[in-house]
Amino acid sequence: MQAKPKIPRTEDRPSIALVGLMGTGKTTIGRKLAAQIALPFVDADDEIEQAAGMKISEIFERLGEPSFRDGERRVLQRLIGDGPCVISTGGGAFIDRETRAALLKKAVVVWLDADIGTLVERVSRRGNRPLLTGRDPETVLRELAETRRPAYAQAHYRIDSSVGAAHETVDEILRTLTEAGVLC
Ligand code: S3P
């Protein structure tokens, strides 16, 4: 494992946002990354659930996906404004043009990418994702990967999270951001 990065004062630091498909490990990796660089961690999906007083699956079921996306946009705008933290975003957040522009402007955006086989295996461990309900996960993930790739590719950095344990991906992010001068 590499040496711990030297960290500037909190108020001088940008937020780091993790984007990418469901199953890429955004939440697990985001939490570990935040701990390593001593920034608060926020999970956008949790914040949406808190704001709505409902689980995401319930929001999709009762209000529909467009309502979920509206809430997601509002929550992300608030989180970006709240300042320095590590944000794990839901898989569709960065596809929204407004959210993407705001994140690219105000945060360092890291795309966690992984091969479809890895994603299928990971999402099958948790059965509460509304976009997968009643559908074949591999088919959905392939479709989403294809349509969303052009948006994800606009992230500042791309890290492959298929290989190795979460802490290795965190090390890779730290190495990349340190080399780029984002962390020192
Ligand atoms: C979604 C991904 C989910 C959640 C919602 C929609 C998507 O988050 O926001 O179910 O559109 O890909 P995770 O990526 O954390 O699973």
Side-chain angles (χ1 to χ4, degrees), residues 13-17 42 44 72-85 87 89 93-94 98-109:
R13 291 193 275 158
S15 287
I16 298 173
V42 272
E72 183 173 52
R73 190 178 308 111
R74 281 196 300 274
V75 163
L76 259 307
Q77 294 287 353
R78 169 170 61 79
L79 294 179
I80 298 163
D82 277 355
C85 57
I87 309 171
T89 65
F94 198 60
E98 243 177 78
T99 303
R100 186 164 67 245
L103 282 170
L104 287 170
K105 189 164 166 211
K106 301 209 177 121
V108 174
V109 182

Side-chain angles (χ1 to χ4, degrees), residues 45 48-50 52-68 127-131 133:
D45 282 347
I48 296 166
E49 290 186 338
Q50 263 179 40
M54 274 183 260
K55 291 276 168 207
I56 287 177
S57 50
E58 223 179 320
I59 305 176
F60 269 73
E61 224 173 273
R62 289 172 52 178
L63 309 174
E65 183 171 348
S67 257
F68 169 76
N128 56 352
R129 291 182 164 103
L131 294 183
T133 308

Side-chain angles (χ1 to χ4, degrees), residues 117-183:
T118 303
L119 296 180
V120 172
E121 199 240 297
R122 288 192 190 146
V123 298
S124 58
R125 293 185 209 148
R126 226 183 73 197
N128 56 352
R129 291 182 164 103
L131 294 183
L132 300 179
T133 308
R135 296 199 59 200
D136 169 46
E138 180 165 349
T139 307
V140 176
L141 285 162
R142 279 194 193 286
E143 283 170 12
L144 291 177
E146 181 150 336
T147 54
R148 291 177 172 182
R149 179 163 283 269
Y152 292 146
Q154 293 175 47
H156 298 117
Y157 302 96
R158 173 188 169 277
I159 301 282
D160 189 339
S161 71
S162 314
V163 279
H167 73 89
E168 292 172 89
T169 305
V170 171
D171 285 349
E172 181 65 22
I173 296 173
L174 290 173
R175 198 163 27 245
T176 302
L177 297 187
T178 305
E179 271 169 25
V182 174
L183 300 170

